[in-house]
Amino acid sequence: MSALSHITILDLTHMLSGPYASQLLADMGAHCIKVEPPGRGEGTRKLLADDEKYSIDGVGAYFLTLSRNKKSVAIDLKKPAGLSLFYELVKKADVVINNFGAGVPKRLGIDYEVLKQHNPRIITCSITGFGETGPDRDRAAFDLVAQGMGGGMSITGEEGAPPLRAGIPIGDLGGGLFAAIGLLAALNQRDQSPGGRGQHVDISMQDCQVSMLNYMATMYLMSGQQPPAVGNNHFVHVPYGTFKTRTRYLILACMGDAFFGKLATMFNDPELMDPKFSTQPVRWEHRHFINTRVQQHIGQETCEHWLERLKEHRIPAAPVNDFEHALSDPQIMARDMVVEVPLGNDKTVKQPGNPVKLSSQSKQAFTSPPALGQHTNTVLSELLQMNDSQIAQLRQNGVIG
């Protein structure tokens, strides 16, 4: 029995933030049912679908990654009969999640105020760019907008250079992560409260980015001083950053006087062993000299050479892994963070695994991403006890696909 096998989710999401949230919950065992428009399905199905490198049998990498462990029913919510059918599913569900624009769920008649009339225990979640309250609630947003508005992009990049977005879409992924956390909290509160009433979870991608500013936001609010972009360096510790070896880049993280002393000794460099560099303030004052000197040493050997030397001296260090190195790392492989997901027809696709490891759960198996409407008949018959004749009539009327 999986941790969330007692939970049923109706997933109305598309693109990245919403599907990522529901994927996290599905990976932990929730019964996740994608509710998609007949004919075309949700938009992510089309992304990269025609790209030979990034698709399999006409299904692109986005949908392959974000739709494992999910089922699909095709219902036309714009038809009154389709909306009524959705309400019947809501009565059997625990969660309804969407990442439509603010106000869209209300216009569709699927917002919390409506759905709770059909199921007082239902928990709804909306992921939007700026939340459902405040002056920017109707503002459109995608990942880059959230990163830019959230503050973190202003300190990403080299000093004096234009700001950079994070290489991974943390605006979208952050929204998905916090949505999953919020839904788990709401489910727990429902199960602990008298009467077990549900509630609505309102997730703003901008809020999530500001939350992840963390201690740096507190430092700004205390001092009023805008933190600068420092590239891969640290605003306190020296040396702390990336250095180019003869092969690839290497990370050094000398957070403290003791680590710097070990580094200077390892290099056997009289300049770095100067007693004046024994304290952080002086090292920071001379950070450009120190970083240049360290780079001169690091550049003489391979990354693998320095990793061994740094390990001997117990100095925090790591390679900057590209995707090839990261996805073949022995630690990653040992943690089942690269998994094979079946696709049918004896085909599989490799994807990132589930990072949540529960001691009560054995090695996880994954189900294939669903074809559009693949489980419509099964879901309607099992959840709503509809017979073949009723389902056939709905299909004939264009309510389901």
Side-chain angles (χ1 to χ4, degrees), residues 188-390:
N188 183 68
Q189 185 175 23
R190 183 193 70 179
D191 293 343
Q192 298 297 319
S193 62
R197 297 190 67 83
Q199 62 180 300
H200 180 60
V201 180
D202 173 9
I203 298 293
S204 154
M205 290 163 61
Q206 185 187 31
D207 288 356
C208 299
Q209 295 302 294
V210 169
S211 173
M212 290 189 287
L213 296 178
N214 204 265
Y215 68 89
M216 297 190 75
T218 303
M219 292 169 62
Y220 168 77
L221 293 169
M222 294 171 66
S223 68
Q225 294 182 345
Q226 169 69 32
V230 293
N232 294 326
N233 299 309
H234 199 278
F235 62 95
V236 173
H237 302 291
V238 180
Y240 184 107
T242 52
F243 298 87
K244 185 170 176 52
T245 72
R246 284 172 50 193
T247 50
R248 50 187 172 135
Y249 280 90
L250 173 78
I251 293 168
L252 279 178
C254 289
M255 299 184 68
D257 299 337
F259 285 126
F260 181 79
K262 290 180 179 181
L263 186 70
T265 300
M266 184 190 76
F267 288 142
N268 194 25
D269 185 334
E271 297 277 0
L272 295 180
M273 295 168 72
D274 190 320
K276 70 181 181 182
F277 292 143
S278 62
T279 60
Q280 180 275 333
V282 178
R283 288 198 300 277
W284 177 251
E285 182 182 350
H286 294 85
R287 61 191 179 278
H288 297 299
F289 169 81
I290 291 174
N291 285 334
T292 299
R293 195 77 178 174
V294 170
Q295 178 59 67
Q296 290 172 351
H297 288 288
I298 293 294
Q300 296 176 16
E301 292 289 351
T302 67
C303 181
E304 293 70 24
H305 168 86
W306 288 120
L307 287 172
E308 287 298 321
R309 294 290 310 280
L310 291 160
K311 183 178 179 180
E312 291 171 8
H313 288 78
R314 298 185 63 79
I315 299 170
V320 177
N321 282 337
D322 56 18
F323 278 39
E324 178 184 359
H325 286 91
L327 296 175
S328 63
D329 185 282
Q331 180 69 11
I332 289 299
M333 303 305 289
R335 298 276 298 172
D336 293 325
M337 281 309 299
V338 175
V339 298
E340 286 201 54
V341 176
L343 299 180
N345 300 320
D346 296 323
K347 294 182 180 180
T348 63
V349 61
K350 290 184 178 180
Q351 300 177 359
N354 179 5
V356 180
K357 314 297 186 187
L358 300 177
S359 63
S360 63
Q361 191 167 329
S362 58
K363 189 169 181 176
Q364 187 167 13
F366 298 91
T367 62
S368 61
L372 176 59
Q374 178 181 343
H375 304 96
T376 302
N377 287 25
T378 302
V379 169
L380 295 185
S381 62
E382 291 182 355
L383 276 188
L384 303 185
Q385 284 77 54
M386 284 189 167
N387 59 41
D388 292 343
S389 176
Q390 291 172 307

Side-chain angles (χ1 to χ4, degrees), residues 25-105:
L25 300 175
D27 278 358
M28 290 186 281
H31 295 284
C32 186
I33 302 168
K34 292 180 64 64
V35 180
E36 305 182 67
R40 68 182 187 278
E42 60 107 331
T44 316
R45 285 185 177 272
K46 302 298 183 184
L47 291 177
L48 301 176
D50 299 323
D51 192 303
E52 293 183 0
K53 297 191 301 293
Y54 304 125
S55 67
I56 300 175
D57 294 337
V59 183
Y62 275 78
F63 192 82
L64 289 173
T65 304
L66 295 164
S67 300
R68 69 190 187 204
N69 294 335
K70 299 180 182 181
K71 297 179 179 179
S72 171
V73 300
I75 302 176
D76 189 346
L77 297 182
K78 294 183 179 180
K79 290 188 174 183
L83 193 56
S84 296
L85 182 61
F86 179 73
Y87 292 154
E88 291 302 309
L89 290 174
V90 168
K91 295 176 182 178
K92 304 294 184 178
D94 298 281
V95 169
V96 176
I97 179 172
N98 77 83
N99 59 324
F100 298 134
V104 173

Side-chain angles (χ1 to χ4, degrees), residues 133-156:
T133 59
D136 280 341
R137 62 186 179 273
D138 295 323
R139 187 171 183 164
F142 288 100
D143 172 77
L144 186 59
V145 173
Q147 288 198 39
M149 294 286 285
M153 193 169 163
S154 72
I155 57 171
T156 303

